Every structure is written in structure tokens, then in C-alpha cells.
């Protein structure tokens, strides 16, 4: 069963003015699609892997033959990372985190401002391309940064929230100003969706 590009759950312009429509269209329809296509290409002929869902594939990355492991890491990670990224944003979003994830953020980081500062520090501190993540590590939430398209799933972590800091994610509107993009991005975070991911992670799903 080939991996497929998920439909964006909102219009390209839905996240304006924080993320512009052109960036959303190119990011989802060109960049994300390329990860999906190249993942399918890498898995062709590996019948045992072709049937695995993307989460299982990345969690068991060490069982992927070395010859295709870099391609699966980059493109499988790219596919899962972008599916999550586009799913945790929406129109009319942002604000303070709600529900269980809001409580967990306060407990782990002190308050929302300190949490945002840590995610931003990791986003800006990631040299070159990568991601700043909030993950469930199996017993608690934690902020981590990862290079390229490396998925937190490959570390045994469950990603709950992530910001893409590849230049393709922001350059059209923000050029070299990655910190401004990070600040604006908080206005797009759908905390209801992050709470869903948090509940599933804690339940071991
Ligand atoms: Mn991207």
C-alpha cells in the first residue's frame, strides 16, 4: 500500500497573515509530495516494509536495510513530520495552550512564555535545516531539536508539536528572519489537536 499525500485540512490562505498562501501551497503540494513520492520509490521491492504504516516504519528504522535507510529516514521522516505539522495548525488558532497539554507545559516549563522561549531557542539554534519539537518521551514531555527530517519517532519519542525551520517553510515571507517566523507561528497552533496527540501518546497509541 503506497503512502499518499494527505489533503490539507484548510485552504492555502487559512493561516494568513502568519503563513502566506504561496508558502503553504508549495510546502504542502511540492515539498511534502516529494517526500511521499521518494518514500514510495525507496520502498519499492521491499514487500515487508511497503505494508507498514509510517509510524511503525520510523519507530523500527533500525530494521530497514542499510541500503535504503537514509532514503527512508529522510523521506519517511519528511512525510510524517509534515503530516503532523500541517495537522496541528489551523485558522482561528493560537493563544494559550488548553487542557491537559496546557497543564503539562506549565508543570514542565513553568509557564507558557518559558515554554515558547525554549521551543524558539531550539528553532533558532538548529544550524541549517531541521525542526524544533515538543515530544512525549514515554514518561514526560520534553523540548528537543532534530536536524534535517529526522523523526522523533526514531528516538522512541512521540512528537506532539513541531515547527519546521527549513527555509522553505518561511523564506518567501520572512527571508532570513527565522525568529519572526517562529513568533508568528504560535498564532497558528491548534491546541485541540495537540491535546489529541498528547492523549494518544500517553495511552501508548
Ligand atoms: Mn518543510
Amino acid at each position: 500500500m503506497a503512502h499518499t499525500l494527505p489533503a490539507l485540512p484548510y485552504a492555502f490562505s487559512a493561516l494568513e497573515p502568519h503563513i502566506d498562501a504561496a508558502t503553504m501551497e508549495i510546502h504542502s503540494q511540492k515539498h511534502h509530495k516529494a517526500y511521499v513520492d521518494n518514500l514510495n520509490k525507496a520502498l519499492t521491492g521491499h514487500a515487508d516494509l511497503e505494508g507498514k504504516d509510517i509510524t511503525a516504519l520510523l519507530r523500527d528504522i533500525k530494521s530497514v536495510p542499510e541500503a535504503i535507510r537514509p532514503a527512508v529516514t529522510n523521506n519517511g521522516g519528511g512525510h510524517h513530520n509534515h503530516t503532523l505539522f500541517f495537522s496541528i495548525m489551523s485558522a482561528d488558532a493560537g493563544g494559550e495552550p488548553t487542557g491537559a497539554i496546557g497543564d503539562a507545559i506549565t508543570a514542565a516549563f513553568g509557564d507558557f512564555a518559558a515554554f515558547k522561549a525554549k521551543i524558539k531557542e531550539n528553532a533558532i539554534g538548529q544550524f541549517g535545516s531541521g525542526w524544533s519539537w515538543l515530544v512525549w518521551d514515554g514518561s514526560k514531555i520534553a523540548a528537543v531539536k532534530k536536524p534535517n527530517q529526522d523523526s522523533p519517532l526514531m528516538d522512541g519519542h512521540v512528537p506532539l508539536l513541531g515547527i519546521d525551520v527549513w527555509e522553505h517553510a518561511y523564506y518567501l515571507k520572512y527571508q532570513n528572519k527565522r525568529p519572526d517566523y517562529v513568533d508568528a507561528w504560535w498564532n497558528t497552533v491548534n491546541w485541540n489537536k495537540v491535546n489529541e496527540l498528547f492523549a494518544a501518546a500517553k495511552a501508548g497509541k
Side-chain angles (χ1 to χ4, degrees):
M1 189 191 71
H3 296 276
T4 54
L5 183 68
L8 202 65
Y10 39 76
F12 298 131
S13 61
L15 308 181
E16 294 266 12
H18 314 295
I19 302 182
D20 59 286
T23 294
M24 288 302 297
E25 181 166 5
I26 297 166
H27 201 176
S28 62
Q29 305 304 302
K30 305 292 184 191
H31 291 276
H32 189 174
K33 184 173 189 301
Y35 296 123
V36 172
D37 291 347
N38 288 324
L39 174 62
N40 287 328
K41 208 176 293 177
L43 294 176
T44 300
H46 297 267
D48 53 324
L49 299 177
E50 283 178 301
K52 272 183 145 175
D53 74 38
I54 186 63
T55 304
L57 189 65
L58 293 167
R59 280 185 176 146
D60 301 338
I61 191 70
K62 289 185 176 64
S63 71
V64 173
E66 281 182 37
I68 62 167
R69 199 181 298 161
V72 172
T73 296
N74 292 335
N75 296 294
H79 176 30
H80 191 268
N81 291 345
H82 286 83
T83 300
L84 183 142
F85 181 63
F86 293 131
S87 80
I88 62 159
M89 299 188 288
S90 68
D92 305 316
E96 298 264 335
T98 53
I101 197 66
D103 295 341
I105 284 170
T106 301
F109 297 92
D111 59 23
F112 184 43
F115 166 69
K116 284 197 294 184
K118 184 63 193 174
I119 293 289
K120 185 177 183 181
E121 177 190 318
N122 283 345
I124 295 167
Q126 173 57 46
F127 182 76
S129 296
W131 293 71
S132 176
W133 293 104
L134 178 71
V135 301
W136 174 252
D137 73 2
S139 59
K140 63 180 189 308
I141 58 169
V144 298
K145 63 181 178 197
K146 303 280 292 174
N148 304 314
Q149 295 297 351
D150 289 5
S151 169
L153 292 167
M154 299 190 302
D155 301 325
H157 296 162
V158 182
L160 305 175
L161 169 150
I163 177 167
D164 185 346
V165 295
W166 285 57
E167 286 185 345
H168 68 228
Y170 61 86
Y171 211 85
L172 288 181
K173 182 177 173 73
Y174 295 95
Q175 293 83 47
N176 59 315
K177 299 185 285 288
R178 188 187 288 190
D180 291 358
Y181 155 67
V182 175
D183 289 342
W185 178 77
W186 290 109
N187 294 305
T188 72
V189 174
N190 177 352
W191 291 108
N192 292 333
K193 180 65 185 179
V194 179
N195 266 304
E196 280 175 28
L197 295 171
F198 185 39
K202 283 191 294 184
K205 288 174 189 158

